[in-house]
Amino acid sequence: QVHLVQSGGGLVQPGGSLRLSCAASGNIEMINAMGWYRQAPGQERDMVAVFSRTGSINYQDSVKGRFTISREDAKNTVYLQMDKLKPEDTAVYYCHAAGLWLTTGVFVEGSWGQGTQVTVSS
């Protein structure tokens, strides 16, 4: 019913930049929160940056000042601009939408994107 399609990512040298995007589709009326998580090999999936419906933003401490989350509400799309990338940012990045109300009145607790690899290496 709900699909999150991610784009962007890839290989970049330390200090470089990448931009991720995520578009949600599926007769969506409202999304309560939307953002980005990441999972490095052997580690748990952690929050990177999340937008709430009220507009508040939360960033993981390690990315503050380097990553910027933005959104286009009309397109149900969220972006993650990643600057000054470090090798420790290497992970699979996942888009997540939480608390979705569909136009049919159906409530979807959450949905994940397909994941995209970000590798920071020289």
Side-chain angles (χ1 to χ4, degrees):
Q1 289 179 313
V2 175
H3 299 281
L4 302 184
V5 178
Q6 299 178 214
S7 61
L11 173 65
V12 66
Q13 292 185 344
S17 298
L18 286 173
R19 188 186 193 217
L20 306 180
S21 64
C22 173
S25 62
N27 297 321
I28 297 169
E29 179 71 30
M30 185 183 73
I31 303 174
N32 277 310
M34 196 168 177
W36 296 93
Y37 290 71
R38 67 186 180 187
Q39 187 167 19
Q43 297 187 21
E44 295 185 352
R45 191 172 298 185
D46 293 326
M47 185 274 291
V48 177
V50 174
F51 251 121
S52 75
R53 187 171 64 86
T54 60
S56 66
I57 299 174
N58 285 319
Y59 288 103
Q60 183 186 114
D61 286 345
S62 67
V63 307
K64 288 180 179 178
R66 300 188 298 119
F67 291 11
T68 304
I69 189 171
S70 60
R71 65 185 185 184
E72 286 189 73
D73 289 342
K75 297 181 179 180
N76 288 322
T77 297
V78 65
Y79 306 94
L80 185 67
Q81 177 66 39
M82 303 184 291
D83 299 317
K84 302 177 183 178
L85 281 159
K86 303 176 181 180
E88 50 263 44
D89 295 318
T90 296
V92 178
Y93 284 69
Y94 295 91
C95 176
H96 183 255
L100 304 96
W101 282 102
L102 306 185
T103 56
T104 56
V106 172
F107 179 77
V108 178
E109 187 169 336
S111 184
W112 291 96
Q114 79 273 22
T116 187
Q117 178 69 45
V118 170
T119 302
V120 185
S121 175
S122 55

